[in-house]
Amino acid sequence: MQPVSESAKGPGVHLPVMVAAELQDSLLVVMHDLHRLEGLLSHATDNLLERFGEANESLNESLVQSSPELVAVQNALKSAVVELQFQDMASQLIWHTTKVLQSCAFQLAAEAMGSEEGEEPAALAQMAPDRPNPVTQSEMDAGSVELF
């Protein structure tokens, strides 16, 4: 890549259109993979919630109250359901990352290929996520999670 003279935006480089197109394709593939990952994560979480619910229902109150071990099992099941809220945080992070990649792919295409005559430029700023970090909790033991 060869440097280009400084413009109003600052220094830049020439990027062959094919390189930009290949990079954009790679970004779109990653976006697709993230979408698939979110679907797999969601499916697994739904199955886990269903299984935990079935196990919790099978522990009837009279049986649980007569056994301290079963009280501990029931409490562990309730805690596990709360910890499954991790899926919601992961989904938010996947969505955010997908939006960042999409914005980068479209910006790359717009910069490398320009726009057709008479074509409206894409509103690239509207494609980027509003916040730099959608999930502020970095681990399950920190903070609290609201169940909805």
Side-chain angles (χ1 to χ4, degrees), residues 22 33 63-64 70 80 83 111:
E22 288 174 12
D33 289 347
L63 181 63
V64 169
L70 290 179
E83 291 177 16
E111 291 289 329

Side-chain angles (χ1 to χ4, degrees), residues 45-88:
T45 302
D46 290 345
N47 286 342
L48 280 171
L49 281 170
E50 185 178 330
R51 301 300 177 269
F52 283 129
E54 290 170 359
N56 192 42
E57 286 176 17
S58 69
L59 297 171
N60 66 40
E61 280 303 312
S62 61
L63 181 63
V64 169
Q65 297 305 326
S66 66
S67 169
E69 291 86 11
L70 290 179
V71 170
V73 169
Q74 191 174 44
N75 288 336
L77 286 172
K78 289 176 183 176
S79 294
V81 168
V82 171
E83 291 177 16
L84 283 173
Q85 291 301 310
F86 168 77
Q87 183 270 337
D88 181 54

Side-chain angles (χ1 to χ4, degrees), residues 6-64:
E6 291 196 26
S7 67
K9 292 182 180 181
V13 294
H14 276 295
L15 185 65
V17 173
M18 284 307 297
V19 171
E22 288 174 12
L23 183 55
Q24 183 186 26
D25 286 346
S26 295
L27 290 171
L28 294 173
V29 166
V30 170
M31 286 171 41
H32 176 72
D33 289 347
L34 284 171
H35 180 72
R36 288 179 42 216
L37 176 61
E38 197 278 327
L40 292 169
L41 184 60
S42 180
H43 179 72
T45 302
D46 290 345
N47 286 342
L48 280 171
L49 281 170
E50 185 178 330
R51 301 300 177 269
F52 283 129
E54 290 170 359
N56 192 42
E57 286 176 17
S58 69
L59 297 171
N60 66 40
E61 280 303 312
S62 61
L63 181 63
V64 169

Side-chain angles (χ1 to χ4, degrees), residues 42-148:
S42 180
H43 179 72
T45 302
D46 290 345
N47 286 342
L48 280 171
L49 281 170
E50 185 178 330
R51 301 300 177 269
F52 283 129
E54 290 170 359
N56 192 42
E57 286 176 17
S58 69
L59 297 171
N60 66 40
E61 280 303 312
S62 61
L63 181 63
V64 169
Q65 297 305 326
S66 66
S67 169
E69 291 86 11
L70 290 179
V71 170
V73 169
Q74 191 174 44
N75 288 336
L77 286 172
K78 289 176 183 176
S79 294
V81 168
V82 171
E83 291 177 16
L84 283 173
Q85 291 301 310
F86 168 77
Q87 183 270 337
D88 181 54
M89 294 185 328
S91 291
Q92 289 179 47
L93 202 52
I94 289 170
W95 177 86
H96 179 266
T97 302
T98 300
K99 293 304 272 183
V100 169
L101 290 172
Q102 180 183 36
S103 177
C104 289
F106 289 160
Q107 185 174 1
L108 179 64
E111 291 289 329
M113 295 170 222
S115 58
E116 297 285 324
E117 192 174 308
E119 182 181 45
E120 291 285 324
L124 297 174
Q126 294 174 350
M127 291 180 194
D130 297 334
R131 299 179 300 175
N133 185 5
V135 180
T136 57
Q137 190 169 1
S138 61
E139 57 185 270
M140 289 304 297
D141 293 335
S144 63
V145 177
E146 281 187 36
L147 294 175
F148 46 92

